[in-house]
Amino acid sequence: RSSAKLVAPLGCLVSRQKHTLPDLPYDYAALEPHINAEIMQLHHSKHHATYVNNLNVVEEKYKEALAKGDVTAQVSLQPALKFNGGGHINHTIFWTNLSPNGGGEPKGELMEAIKRDFGSFEKFKEKLTAVSVGVQGSGWGWLGYNKEQGRLQIAACANQDPLQGTTGLIPLLGIDVWEHAYYLQYKNVRPDYLKAIWNVINWENVSSRYATCKK
């Protein structure tokens, strides 16, 4: 809900409500053994919460800069707005992309689109995994929808850069490859984390996002 406000023009910040940390639709331990409870608790209640808090602070400063007509201050605040706003957007999507009842393969329209655009589900899975493993430093691997071309695309974004704001692709499935998403359990072996996360992907949510963005 609050993430939707982030795509509004910045001038709309004057009258908006503060962003809040969304509740998880499952318990912290629900994704075990694939992602343990300690990681989920820290990731959600500490990391995501920090993005939300910092976003509210920077938007307040931006509102003040707008009121003063201080363009220099507005420009200087944009990196923090991008980082914390992106962190909030990305994680809000990420939590819904996961489910204790996840895994397996998608069905229906999404599966047909994956076969059409990648050849097969396995080829898609291999490509998104490879792109996510290959992110240098911190960032995200994404399955997105190119509305202009009417097809699915895979992309990587650095840091907390939001997919749509960075590439124009509509985000369907995001995989967080910041170390805080996996290090406590998988250490520095990112490929093991990526192998495990496919067991908890919420394909119903991804399919629903796909159906919505096609309208």
Side-chain angles (χ1 to χ4, degrees):
R1 49 183 184 270
S2 53
S3 60
K5 297 187 180 72
L6 293 172
V7 298
L10 292 176
C12 295
L13 298 179
V14 175
S15 60
R16 66 154 199 85
Q17 294 181 338
K18 286 190 175 184
H19 302 284
T20 58
L21 181 68
D23 294 331
L24 288 187
Y26 40 77
D27 295 332
Y28 287 135
L31 304 182
E32 291 186 342
H34 310 293
I35 305 177
N36 68 35
E38 184 180 14
I39 286 175
M40 291 299 296
Q41 183 174 11
L42 289 170
H43 199 171
H44 177 258
S45 69
K46 301 298 183 183
H47 290 280
H48 190 174
T50 298
Y51 297 129
V52 171
N53 293 336
N54 289 342
L55 177 60
N56 285 323
V57 170
V58 74
E59 284 193 347
E60 191 63 33
K61 291 179 179 178
Y62 201 98
K63 183 174 72 172
E64 293 171 3
L66 282 172
K68 294 176 182 177
D70 189 341
V71 177
T72 299
Q74 292 171 44
V75 171
S76 69
L77 288 166
Q78 286 177 8
L81 183 65
K82 180 181 181 182
F83 181 76
N84 292 291
H88 182 38
I89 290 172
N90 294 343
H91 285 88
T92 299
I93 295 169
F94 183 61
W95 307 132
T96 64
N97 279 168
L98 305 176
S99 169
N101 301 313
E105 300 181 357
K107 299 175 182 178
E109 273 194 308
L110 177 61
M111 186 58 151
E112 293 306 310
I114 287 173
K115 290 178 179 177
R116 179 195 68 211
D117 295 331
F118 302 106
S120 69
F121 178 73
E122 283 306 314
K123 288 180 181 178
F124 151 72
K125 187 175 172 182
E126 289 171 7
K127 186 172 182 180
L128 181 53
T129 297
V131 165
S132 301
V133 168
V135 171
Q136 294 186 351
S138 301
W140 292 72
W142 288 98
L143 171 66
Y145 180 66
N146 187 321
K147 201 169 183 69
E148 288 185 3
Q149 298 180 13
R151 67 186 185 92
L152 302 174
Q153 286 183 228
I154 287 172
C157 291
N159 301 313
Q160 292 297 351
D161 292 1
L163 182 69
Q164 191 164 4
T166 305
T167 68
L169 299 175
I170 300 171
L172 304 179
L173 170 62
I175 299 180
D176 189 346
V177 290
W178 279 66
E179 284 192 342
H180 64 237
Y182 62 88
Y183 196 87
L184 288 175
Q185 185 170 0
Y186 295 98
K187 307 307 180 194
N188 63 327
V189 190
R190 185 185 287 177
D192 285 355
Y193 158 69
L194 287 163
K195 182 179 179 181
I197 202 169
W198 290 104
N199 293 301
V200 289
I201 296 297
N202 183 355
W203 289 115
E204 287 187 11
N205 175 263
V206 181
S207 295
S208 176
R209 297 181 67 84
Y210 176 62
T212 299
C213 75
K214 284 186 64 185
K215 292 179 180 178

